[in-house]
Amino acid sequence: MTAAGARRRTRVLAVGGAVVAAVLVGLAAAVLGIELRVDMRNGQPPMVIGLPLVAGFALAFALLGWGALAVLERFSERAATIWTWLAVIVLLVSFVPILSAEATAGARTVLAAMHLAVAAVLVPLLRRRG
């Protein structure tokens, strides 16, 4: 397998692993009886965050992360370092809605754990060269 093929395979596994990690946290919440009900205080009824939504968002952000890294790799020799800093910033910003929404402490904790689980899989694996 070529280096590019190995890198692509690792990154596909990273995206899949990020989705699995988020879903596993969601399943653990369900087993513990924690309902992920969030009120964004925008006049809309509270939203229940289910596993399809969790998987979809994890997939979308994992693919966006991969795409951002691929673009950076075309233009910079320090792409992995730049991307890692961007990923950390995005992770930190992703906590803002969790902190600003109306939700139980359990729901907030689970949502934060999902964000951390996705980052814990994506950051080291997407940075890998192959």
Side-chain angles (χ1 to χ4, degrees):
M1 179 179 289
T2 66
R7 183 171 48 244
R8 187 176 308 111
R9 190 179 113 237
T10 299
R11 290 179 178 177
V12 167
L13 290 173
V15 169
V19 173
V20 169
V23 168
L24 287 176
V25 173
L27 286 172
V31 167
L32 295 172
I34 299 170
E35 184 179 42
L36 301 180
R37 181 179 298 274
V38 178
D39 185 353
M40 294 306 293
R41 300 184 212 166
N42 60 2
Q44 300 295 320
M47 173 175 49
V48 176
I49 300 172
L51 291 180
L53 188 62
V54 168
F57 269 93
L59 177 62
F61 280 97
L63 291 172
L64 283 171
W66 182 359
L69 179 57
V71 168
L72 285 168
E73 286 174 338
R74 298 194 82 156
F75 297 106
S76 175
E77 292 179 10
R78 296 176 20 125
T81 301
I82 295 166
W83 181 85
T84 300
W85 280 105
L86 287 172
V88 169
I89 291 166
V90 168
L91 173 63
L92 293 175
V93 170
S94 78
F95 291 120
V96 171
I98 295 170
L99 296 173
S100 64
E102 182 75 27
T104 65
R108 288 178 197 252
T109 302
V110 169
L111 292 169
M114 283 179 185
H115 290 220
L116 291 168
V118 168
V121 173
L122 282 182
V123 173
L125 289 179
L126 287 183
R127 283 182 50 98
R128 282 176 122 181
R129 291 309 244 163

